[in-house]
Amino acid sequence: MEILSVASEVFPLIKTGGLADVAGALPLALKPHGIRMRTLLPGYPIVLQKIGKATRIGGFDNLFGHPASILAVDHHGLDILVLDAPALFDRDGGPYVDKAGLDYPDNFRRFAALSLAAAEIAGGLLPDWTPDLVHVHDWQAALTPVYMRFGPASGMPTVLTIHNIAFQGQFGPTVFPELALPPEAFTVDYVEYYGDVGFLKGGLQAATAITTVSPSYAQEILTPEFGMGLEGLLAARLSGLKGIVNGIDADIWDPRTDPNIAAPYSADKMKRRAENKLALSKRFGFDAAPGPIFSVVSRLTWQKGMDVLAEAIDDIVENGGKLAVLGSGDPVLENAFLSAAARHPGRVGIVVGYDEPLSHLLQAGSDAILIPSRFEPCGLTQLYGLRYGCVPVVARTGGLADTIIDANEAALAARVATGFQFSPVTADGLRLALRRVFALYKEPKAWARLQAQGMKSDVSWDKSAERYAALYSGLLVKG
Ligand SMILES: Nc1ncnc2c1ncn2[C@@H]1O[C@H](COP(=O)(O)OP(=O)(O)O[C@H]2O[C@H](CO)[C@@H](O)[C@H](O)[C@H]2O)[C@@H](O)[C@H]1O
């Protein structure tokens, strides 16, 4: 089976969040199922630099006013197609925002171009390859199924995966004439969305099947609280909606071989984990007092409940804990953590920014990772935590609820607990959970069992890749 995957970020070429991890890991996980997945992404400068020499296998004389090429390359086992369109992607800032952190004003055009290029590939642009099915991710690729409906690949099945319904790619109606879509696409059946143009909305209407990244989130987005305005549309498409939980790349995230950590360890050789805790303490300037280190690796945003955590920091310190934060985002929240670090020297530290190697050391060296998200489609950091014996403390929502087994008395007695869940997502809710964490941490045997149980959890892609493979096969049979 030949599949074209389309995403705006793909690890290890470009990553700003979990989408990249998934888009980079799924193709490898599908290989044993006889599926060849080629992944199209934009040719940002860093991507072109990382791929090095690539072959031009097709192109456009005029893609939204400019020439563009499709480059092909094998990058560490990933079959990569790059849309090299310098007028759209050769920019100084990040993939979506400029150096000042502002959205590029032509984002609608940049990601419409990605989607149109994908639809053209599906329609036979490349002389030697057409896919059997197209799988697109998030709003940046969501117009692909819409373009396909109006082009030569109109009969080809498509899958749209929602990684976060909060990001919808909504633009004013004036962009519509620039999208090279026929007038009938500006209707409620396609991209028209309360008078605006909705990229995700159009994709949800046009895709053959819709998935999201956990079964609980698939249910939640049917409600007004989590659906962010799209709950009605999703309810109408219920038979085509499925939740498939993310896995993790077990080679990149392996404490036995991870080059980013201070000392390797495994479930049966946990002693050396302490060296990582020491290295982490040094990196964050922590004092030598005993007690658990809590970590955060996250965008610092309201979605991630970081304001709630900021309120509970003093309690962590009063109970003898420490907090190491890696992240960036909302300046108000960055400042809240910076001032907590100033208030509690040796106990609270924050690295503002994005640091992939440090994110590994945090999983290997801290005792527990805090994920107090208000909503979480899947979440990956709790899965990394499980694999690294870093106990996840999570809000009971979305994929967090699906992947962590709360250490309540019954689960502890049955030896199936893997972390802590709490709700509601308030400072008091979190404080109650922290109280349970501190109590269990004081029982080294019980704590070690919790870590061991987590490390035994299957966080690989195996089962989920099977589910995607079954979904694709079903669509192809129907098609
Ligand atoms: N400052 C930093 N430095 C280094 N690494 C950092 C970092 N901040 C975050 N990361 C890394 O970025 C990834 C974030 O993963 P999340 O699951 O939290 O996804 P995110 O909310 O971005 O995306 C959405 O997509 C994913 C994938 O489907 C869903 O799991 C999730 O619920 C949904 O919100 C992790 O690999 C994490 O280690």
Side-chain angles (χ1 to χ4, degrees):
M1 191 188 303
E2 301 280 327
I3 295 185
L4 174 66
S5 168
V6 191
S8 57
E9 49 185 276
V10 179
F11 185 84
L13 291 168
I14 172 82
K15 169 172 167 182
T16 71
L19 164 64
D21 289 321
V22 173
L26 185 58
L28 302 175
L30 289 168
K31 272 187 192 173
H33 296 273
I35 294 173
R36 177 189 187 206
M37 180 174 263
R38 305 185 87 175
T39 306
L40 177 73
L41 83 164
Y44 313 114
I46 181 79
V47 169
L48 295 173
Q49 184 197 320
K50 281 191 185 170
I51 60 170
K53 211 166 153 339
T55 314
R56 186 181 194 277
I57 56 167
F60 303 85
D61 295 333
N62 181 349
L63 182 67
F64 292 108
H66 304 278
S69 300
I70 306 290
L71 310 177
V73 71
D74 179 284
H75 190 77
H76 300 296
L78 286 175
D79 199 333
I80 294 291
L81 300 177
V82 173
L83 175 62
D84 184 15
L88 299 170
F89 300 120
D90 185 6
R91 306 273 164 99
D92 275 351
Y96 318 116
V97 297
D98 64 19
K99 273 189 164 165
L102 298 173
D103 283 356
Y104 296 116
D106 59 346
N107 270 349
F108 73 90
R109 195 180 301 116
R110 299 169 76 231
F111 294 108
L114 176 69
S115 300
L116 181 54
E120 294 285 333
I121 291 173
L125 176 78
L126 305 178
D128 296 327
W129 188 73
T130 44
D132 302 311
L133 181 151
V134 179
H135 184 168
V136 306
H137 299 270
D138 274 354
W139 76 263
Q140 293 90 345
L143 281 192
T144 308
V146 180
Y147 283 119
M148 285 171 67
R149 281 288 181 96
F150 295 103
S154 59
M156 190 181 288
T158 51
V159 177
L160 167 57
T161 296
I162 305 167
H163 294 265
N164 191 339
I165 207 162
F167 303 116
Q168 299 188 356
Q170 193 174 342
F171 302 95
T174 51
V175 311
F176 183 77
E178 291 202 49
L179 296 179
L181 281 166
E184 61 264 40
F186 195 54
T187 60
V188 72
D189 292 333
Y190 292 101
V191 300
E192 192 275 328
Y193 188 45
Y194 299 112
D196 281 345
V197 172
F199 278 37
L200 184 63
K201 189 265 176 177
L204 293 175
Q205 289 285 36
T208 322
I210 301 165
T211 69
T212 188
V213 286
S214 70
S216 284
Y217 193 63
Q219 294 292 317
E220 288 169 353
I221 54 178
L222 296 170
T223 66
E225 191 188 346
F226 293 95
M228 311 243 170
L230 290 168
E231 60 278 4
L233 188 167
L234 288 166
R237 299 230 40 204
L238 199 54
S239 62
L241 172 67
K242 206 176 166 59
I244 302 178
V245 79
N246 290 331
I248 66 172
D249 187 321
D251 292 329
I252 290 168
W253 293 92
D254 184 348
R256 291 169 303 185
T257 53
D258 191 333
N260 303 299
I261 68 178
Y265 64 95
S266 58
D268 48 7
K269 286 201 186 82
M270 284 294 271
K271 271 222 170 97
R272 294 205 69 189
R273 198 172 189 280
E275 293 174 45
N276 293 301
K277 189 166 178 177
L278 208 62
L280 184 66
S281 293
K282 248 196 195 157
R283 178 79 189 260
F284 280 83
F286 288 157
D287 62 31
I293 297 183
F294 294 90
S295 60
V296 167
V297 180
S298 182
R299 287 184 283 119
L300 303 181
T301 60
W302 182 89
Q303 177 205 335
K304 300 289 183 182
M306 288 295 129
D307 51 321
V308 169
L309 172 59
E311 274 187 67
I313 293 177
D314 293 352
D315 299 73
I316 292 178
V317 175
E318 273 161 31
N319 283 292
K322 293 173 186 145
L323 176 67
V325 177
L326 168 63
S328 62
D330 182 344
V332 174
L333 293 171
E334 288 179 4
N335 282 329
F337 288 107
L338 284 166
S339 76
R343 248 188 351 263
H344 301 293
R347 293 296 171 103
V348 176
I350 171 163
V351 173
V352 177
Y354 191 90
D355 188 332
E356 191 75 28
L358 182 57
S359 75
H360 287 242
L361 181 63
L362 279 156
Q363 298 281 7
S366 67
D367 296 288
I369 182 153
L370 299 176
I371 314 173
S373 306
R374 286 195 169 81
F375 64 95
E376 196 59 78
C378 179
L380 294 171
T381 54
Q382 83 279 13
L383 304 180
Y384 302 142
L386 288 175
R387 185 134 167 92
Y388 279 65
C390 174
V391 174
V393 181
V394 304
R396 186 175 299 121
T397 187
L400 300 173
D402 288 345
T403 54
I404 301 302
I405 301 174
D406 181 57
N408 57 45
E409 283 196 14
L412 284 171
R415 303 198 169 189
V416 293
T418 58
F420 296 85
Q421 290 192 358
F422 70 94
S423 98
V425 181
T426 58
D428 280 339
L430 176 57
R431 281 187 194 107
L432 281 176
L434 288 170
R435 207 183 286 172
R436 294 199 290 140
V437 177
F438 279 109
L440 205 74
Y441 187 77
K442 285 194 184 111
E443 297 177 44
K445 269 198 187 148
W447 186 265
R449 260 204 310 272
L450 190 62
Q451 286 178 301
Q453 202 57 46
M455 292 175 91
K456 265 198 261 168
S457 305
D458 181 7
V459 289
S460 75
W461 269 105
D462 296 352
K463 280 197 199 110
S464 296
E466 220 173 282
R467 291 189 181 119
Y468 277 112
L471 171 70
Y472 302 146
S473 302
L475 293 174
L476 286 173
V477 169
K478 265 195 222 153

